[in-house]
Amino acid sequence: MASATSRVIFMGTPDFAVPTLEALLDAPDFDVVGVVTQPDRPAGRGRDVRESPVKQVAVEADLPVFQPETLRSPEAVEHLRVWTPDFLVVTAFGQILRQNVLDLPRVAPINVHASLLPRWRGAAPIQAAIRAGDTYTGVTTMVMNAGLDSGPILLQDSIPILPYETGQSLHDKLAPLGANLLIHTLRWLLGGSISPHEQPSNAELITFAPQLKKEDGEINWRQSADEIDRHVRAYKPWPGTYTMWEGKLLKILAGYPVAIDIGVPPGVVADTQGAAFTKATPFVIGTGRWAYAPTQLQLAGRQVMEAADFLNGASGFLGSRLGSVPEPEE
C-alpha cells in the first residue's frame, strides 16, 4: 500500500448498497474520498423529489457527493480522476461504466454483486434466484470489466434460500453479507492472499436477470401453483404481483400453493367451503397444476386485506375468472 489507508470512491444508489458504504466508513484502513450516486428522482404518490439511500448516508457522513446523469462525459471522468482513488467500489449503482472509468483506480475497480456469478448476471439477481426455484444464492466480489457482470471473480459467499423467502427478506440478508465480503476482498487483495480468476465460460452456467418492469408482475394462471408462489414471493415488494378482476387491478401480496386438484380451469376462483382448508383460506385459484391460495390481496384504490375480509366485500368474486387467461375452447 502506498499509504496507511486506501482511497476509495464508492458508487451505489439503493438500500442494498448502504451496508457496503457503512462498512467502508467503519474500516480504519479505507478512506472514502467521494460517493457517486444517481441524481435525486421523483418518487411515491406525491412524486416528491427524493435523495437515494446512499446519498442520505453520504451526506450524514459529510462526504463529497457526485450525482451525474451519466459518467460518459470527459468532465465527469475528470471529476473522479481528481479524487485519485486506489479502489473504485461499485454496489448497485445503476449505470454501465466505460473502460476509461474502470481504469481510474490505482489497484482495481471492484463490484459487489448479489448472486453467485456467473449465475444471474444483470440488474435483478435476487428476484431471479427465488423465481427460478434456486435453493441457494449468495454474493460475489469481482474485478469489473466493460461487460455485464462478466469480470474475474475474487470472493464468493453463499446462503440458502428458505422455502418462504421473499425478495425483501433475501435482499436484507445479502446486503450485509456483501458488505462483509467486500472488506475482506479489499484487504486480502492488498495483502496478496487472493487473486482474480475468470468466470466459467460454460454457456449452461451463465444466466441473466434483466431489470424488472411493473408489467413483469402480472400473474400467468396457466403456470403451476409452485411457479406462481415463487413469482409472488420473488417480486415482493417490487414490482409486486397482480392480476385483473372485472377490469380492475388486483394485487396478490401473499399466499401459498395448495397441492390439490380443485377441478377448475386456470384463473378461476373456487370456494373452499367444506374442504380441508383453514379459515384463513376461504378460496383458492385454479392454476396449471394444483391451486394457489392468496392470503393478502389489494384491489385498486382499496387497502390491503386478508383473504376472508376481501371475500366478504367482493360480491361475485367466487366463480369468476381472473387475469387475461382466455376461455377454454369447446
Side-chain angles (χ1 to χ4, degrees), residues 162-219:
L162 301 180
Y164 302 106
E165 203 86 71
T166 67
Q168 185 66 61
S169 67
L170 190 55
H171 166 283
D172 292 348
K173 294 174 183 178
L174 292 179
L177 193 71
N180 181 64
L181 193 69
L182 182 274
I183 297 300
H184 282 88
T185 297
L186 299 187
R187 288 173 177 165
W188 293 353
L189 189 60
L190 288 169
S193 57
I194 59 170
S195 58
H197 60 278
E198 295 297 326
Q199 293 188 33
S201 58
N202 187 338
E204 294 181 358
L205 299 178
I206 300 172
T207 55
F208 292 92
Q211 186 171 358
L212 295 173
K213 305 180 293 296
K214 189 68 178 177
E215 54 265 33
D216 293 330
E218 184 172 10
I219 295 172

Side-chain angles (χ1 to χ4, degrees), residues 92-214:
F93 174 47
Q95 290 188 30
I96 299 296
L97 304 183
R98 289 185 169 184
Q99 194 62 48
N100 61 345
V101 174
L102 299 178
D103 289 338
L104 290 175
R106 179 184 65 83
V107 181
I110 307 296
N111 178 240
V112 180
H113 185 75
S115 81
L116 298 174
L117 293 170
R119 188 161 179 79
W120 304 128
R121 296 176 179 176
I126 295 174
Q127 295 87 346
I130 295 175
R131 192 166 185 189
D134 293 356
T135 56
Y136 66 95
T137 187
V139 288
T140 300
T141 53
M142 65 176 170
V143 177
M144 298 181 70
N145 61 20
L148 178 62
D149 299 325
S150 58
I153 291 171
L154 289 163
L155 290 177
Q156 293 185 314
D157 199 0
S158 64
I159 59 172
I161 298 178
L162 301 180
Y164 302 106
E165 203 86 71
T166 67
Q168 185 66 61
S169 67
L170 190 55
H171 166 283
D172 292 348
K173 294 174 183 178
L174 292 179
L177 193 71
N180 181 64
L181 193 69
L182 182 274
I183 297 300
H184 282 88
T185 297
L186 299 187
R187 288 173 177 165
W188 293 353
L189 189 60
L190 288 169
S193 57
I194 59 170
S195 58
H197 60 278
E198 295 297 326
Q199 293 188 33
S201 58
N202 187 338
E204 294 181 358
L205 299 178
I206 300 172
T207 55
F208 292 92
Q211 186 171 358
L212 295 173
K213 305 180 293 296
K214 189 68 178 177

Side-chain angles (χ1 to χ4, degrees), residues 61 201 273 305:
S201 58
Q273 185 175 3
M305 304 182 77

Side-chain angles (χ1 to χ4, degrees), residues 45-320:
R45 288 189 175 183
R47 306 306 292 165
D48 296 326
V49 176
R50 296 182 186 175
E51 300 174 340
S52 75
V54 162
K55 181 181 178 180
Q56 293 173 30
V57 173
V59 170
E60 181 68 22
D62 200 26
L63 296 173
V65 177
F66 184 39
Q67 296 179 270
E69 287 288 346
T70 176
L71 286 170
R72 295 189 174 190
S73 70
E75 294 79 13
V77 176
E78 186 58 29
H79 190 112
L80 302 182
R81 192 188 312 278
V82 169
W83 281 336
T84 60
D86 295 307
F87 287 103
L88 189 66
V89 172
V90 182
T91 308
F93 174 47
Q95 290 188 30
I96 299 296
L97 304 183
R98 289 185 169 184
Q99 194 62 48
N100 61 345
V101 174
L102 299 178
D103 289 338
L104 290 175
R106 179 184 65 83
V107 181
I110 307 296
N111 178 240
V112 180
H113 185 75
S115 81
L116 298 174
L117 293 170
R119 188 161 179 79
W120 304 128
R121 296 176 179 176
I126 295 174
Q127 295 87 346
I130 295 175
R131 192 166 185 189
D134 293 356
T135 56
Y136 66 95
T137 187
V139 288
T140 300
T141 53
M142 65 176 170
V143 177
M144 298 181 70
N145 61 20
L148 178 62
D149 299 325
S150 58
I153 291 171
L154 289 163
L155 290 177
Q156 293 185 314
D157 199 0
S158 64
I159 59 172
I161 298 178
L162 301 180
Y164 302 106
E165 203 86 71
T166 67
Q168 185 66 61
S169 67
L170 190 55
H171 166 283
D172 292 348
K173 294 174 183 178
L174 292 179
L177 193 71
N180 181 64
L181 193 69
L182 182 274
I183 297 300
H184 282 88
T185 297
L186 299 187
R187 288 173 177 165
W188 293 353
L189 189 60
L190 288 169
S193 57
I194 59 170
S195 58
H197 60 278
E198 295 297 326
Q199 293 188 33
S201 58
N202 187 338
E204 294 181 358
L205 299 178
I206 300 172
T207 55
F208 292 92
Q211 186 171 358
L212 295 173
K213 305 180 293 296
K214 189 68 178 177
E215 54 265 33
D216 293 330
E218 184 172 10
I219 295 172
N220 176 2
W221 295 108
R222 292 196 179 279
Q223 291 187 321
S224 72
D226 281 337
E227 290 174 307
I228 291 169
D229 175 56
R230 295 197 303 266
H231 187 185
V232 172
R233 289 187 290 107
Y235 289 10
K236 184 176 184 177
W238 170 259
T241 44
Y242 66 91
T243 188
M244 302 300 295
W245 177 54
E246 295 185 344
K248 296 180 181 179
L249 188 142
L250 175 62
K251 294 181 181 179
I252 308 294
L253 303 176
Y256 58 93
V258 179
I260 186 172
D261 182 3
I262 60 173
V264 299
V268 171
V269 183
D271 191 350
T272 61
Q273 185 175 3
F277 290 98
T278 67
K279 198 171 183 180
T281 311
F283 61 88
V284 293
I285 302 168
T287 72
R289 180 171 181 263
W290 297 345
Y292 183 75
T295 56
Q296 283 190 328
L297 307 91
Q298 184 179 21
L299 194 61
R302 305 280 185 85
Q303 63 182 5
V304 176
M305 304 182 77
E306 300 299 312
D309 295 330
F310 175 84
L311 187 60
N312 287 337
S315 176
F317 189 67
L318 291 177
S320 65

